[in-house]
């Protein structure tokens, strides 16, 4: 309870100070580990928020990945929704960090629906390119989704902050 109060206080102070940027991103999602046996490269897009602090920044994002099957012979429809919250630090325009995520997946194969919610973690590396009134960000994330079955994803995204 105390940690929640401290986090809410820090976020509210940051928002009231005007140090928050909102943005959008899009890119590719690559399966890794055992996920590569089922899925192929897929599209991902979403929105993100970045709250700047003196030495680090708090990042959050929600995305929507339209998953593609490795085999075309299936009547297949799938999606992955990563909800992420983490921290990053900067060395010039380059940043690195990581955090936690809730990965919500939904798969339909031959009219059979399944959905999962997996808790995981991610590591992040990227670069911000200032371009006048907005920033362009390139990012690579390694998502550790399911430690039991070695299911992981690599996302490569490009986005902007307003």
């Amino acid at each position: 309870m105390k940690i929640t109060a401290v986090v809410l206080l820090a976020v509210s102070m940051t928002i009231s100070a005007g140090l928050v940027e909102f943005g959008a991103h899009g890119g590719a999602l690559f399966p890794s580990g055992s996920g590569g046996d089922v899925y192929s490269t897929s599209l991902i897009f979403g929105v993100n928020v970045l709250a700047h602090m003196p030495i680090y920044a708090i990042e959050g994002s929600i995305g929507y990945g339209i998953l593609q099957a490795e085999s075309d012979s299936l009547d297949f429809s799938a999606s992955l929704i990563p909800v992420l919250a983490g921290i990053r630090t900067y060395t010039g325009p380059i940043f690195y960090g990581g955090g936690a995520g809730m990965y919500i997946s939904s798969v339909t194969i031959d009219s059979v629906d399944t959905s999962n919610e997996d808790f995981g973690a991610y590591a992040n590396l990227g670069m911000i390119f200032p371009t006048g009134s907005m920033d362009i960000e390139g990012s690579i994330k390694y998502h550790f989704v399911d430690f039991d079955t070695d299911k992981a994803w690599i996302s490569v995204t490009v986005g902007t902050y307003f």
Side-chain angles (χ1 to χ4, degrees):
M1 183 67 170
K2 291 180 183 180
I3 294 174
T4 304
V6 170
V7 169
L8 289 175
L9 179 62
V11 170
S12 66
M13 287 174 29
T14 304
I15 291 171
S16 65
L19 300 171
V20 176
E21 291 182 289
F22 298 94
H25 63 271
L29 194 59
F30 303 95
S32 177
S34 64
D37 298 336
V38 179
Y39 302 107
S40 66
T41 302
S42 306
L43 295 175
I44 188 168
F45 54 91
V47 295
N48 41 345
V49 61
L50 189 61
H52 295 280
M53 304 294 177
I55 300 173
Y56 61 91
I58 297 171
E59 63 183 3
S61 70
I62 184 167
Y64 184 79
I66 304 165
L67 301 181
Q68 302 296 319
E70 186 67 32
S71 170
D72 291 334
S73 64
L74 298 174
D75 182 17
F76 179 86
S77 173
S79 64
L80 177 68
I81 301 172
V83 181
L84 309 174
I87 193 167
R88 65 167 71 164
T89 188
Y90 296 90
T91 57
I94 297 172
F95 62 86
Y96 57 93
M102 175 63 72
Y103 297 87
I104 304 164
S105 62
S106 175
V107 179
T108 302
I109 299 175
D110 295 328
S111 301
V112 177
D113 296 331
T114 60
S115 62
N116 290 324
E117 294 179 358
D118 295 317
F119 184 74
Y122 71 94
N124 191 12
L125 175 67
M127 187 169 187
I128 293 185
F129 306 95
T131 59
S133 64
M134 69 175 86
D135 293 336
I136 304 291
E137 174 182 292
S139 176
I140 298 173
K141 290 185 177 99
Y142 189 77
H143 305 267
F144 309 98
V145 178
D146 190 347
F147 301 103
D148 295 332
T149 61
D150 187 33
K151 187 170 34 171
W153 296 91
I154 299 170
S155 63
V156 178
T157 59
V158 175
T160 185
Y161 287 99
F162 308 104

